[in-house]
Amino acid sequence: MPQKRRKARATGEKKNACHAAPARLIHDVWTWDFVQTSTVNGRKIRFLNIVDEHTRLCLSIKSGRSITSEDAIDTLAELFSMHGVPKRIRCDNGPQFNSLAIKDWLSKLGVKTLYIEPGSPWQNGLCESFNGKLSNEYLNQTDLLSESDATLKARAWREDFNDHRAHSSLGYLDPSEFASRCADSASFAALTPRNQHSDSLEPLLVSQPNIL
């Protein structure tokens, strides 16, 4: 008789909710989750959405008939090489996110995983809000002909969301513009000596002409 596979134990806590442990800076907290729908032939297709919580910037929408833990790691690895490694990642207790492979890989990179409480999607509210927009504006309004068609249309929707969608929570900037300003501020702050008056910055900025 084949051995029964033990289910991964839920590890979520209320203290990991987005209102309890909010993102303070760009790349402080990323959040990710799955959305599922079907193509016109009735076959299911999944979307793995990854969003920076502070800037609301959608970093990736990966689509596929099946997205494994290895696929998720590959997607994150590509984003890490592009944007740097975030401090924390918020998610639910789904089997893909709770896999030992993902836990071990993130742990080795020093990324803390914020698992929300089981059955409490509102604790990952920013990602749930994004998922709702994706479903209402794209998935429920578009006929998906194939996996490649879904990928192309998701990319177009993501670009529109990032580059042309103003958010009141971002001072009515789009996520791309807000993220760019956050990155510039972070670069400036990294050059600023602590406990010194702003008029002492001029020599430092002159020596770093390409930083702003």
Side-chain angles (χ1 to χ4, degrees), residues 188 191-204:
F188 182 82
L191 290 173
T192 305
R194 292 184 179 181
N195 302 321
Q196 291 189 19
H197 194 268
S198 60
D199 59 10
S200 66
L201 295 179
E202 186 175 351
L204 185 61

Side-chain angles (χ1 to χ4, degrees), residues 1 12 63 71 73 77 79 87 127 145 151 159 163 166 168 202:
M1 294 290 292
S63 60
D71 295 329
I73 288 175
L79 293 176
K87 294 180 180 178
C127 197
L145 306 180
T151 299
E159 290 175 356
D163 301 336
S168 60
E202 186 175 351

Side-chain angles (χ1 to χ4, degrees), residues 129-202:
S129 175
F130 177 85
N131 291 346
K133 291 182 175 69
L134 178 69
S135 297
N136 294 334
E137 299 174 9
Y138 164 50
L139 301 181
N140 297 340
Q141 303 292 333
T142 307
D143 288 333
L144 305 180
L145 306 180
S146 63
E147 185 176 343
S148 59
D149 181 57
T151 299
L152 289 174
K153 291 176 178 176
R155 183 182 303 160
W157 186 90
R158 172 176 166 265
E159 290 175 356
D160 177 72
F161 179 86
N162 283 340
D163 301 336
H164 304 289
R165 196 76 61 86
H167 291 245
S168 60
S169 60
L170 304 180
Y172 295 96
L173 298 174
D174 60 65
S176 291
E177 176 64 20
F178 186 76
S180 177
R181 296 191 184 189
C182 287
D184 289 344
S185 297
S187 297
F188 182 82
L191 290 173
T192 305
R194 292 184 179 181
N195 302 321
Q196 291 189 19
H197 194 268
S198 60
D199 59 10
S200 66
L201 295 179
E202 186 175 351

Side-chain angles (χ1 to χ4, degrees), residues 80-96:
F80 288 179
S81 67
M82 294 171 58
H83 303 284
V85 180
K87 294 180 180 178
R88 301 172 288 173
I89 292 183
R90 196 184 325 272
C91 60
D92 61 28
N93 289 272
Q96 295 88 350

Side-chain angles (χ1 to χ4, degrees), residues 94-139:
Q96 295 88 350
F97 303 134
N98 221 9
S99 73
L100 290 177
I102 287 181
K103 284 183 174 181
D104 290 346
W105 184 71
L106 290 175
S107 178
K108 289 176 181 177
L109 292 175
V111 181
K112 182 179 180 180
T113 306
L114 303 175
Y115 290 106
I116 63 172
E117 286 184 303
S120 305
W122 58 87
Q123 294 184 1
N124 198 12
L126 289 172
C127 197
E128 288 295 320
S129 175
F130 177 85
N131 291 346
K133 291 182 175 69
L134 178 69
S135 297
N136 294 334
E137 299 174 9
Y138 164 50
L139 301 181

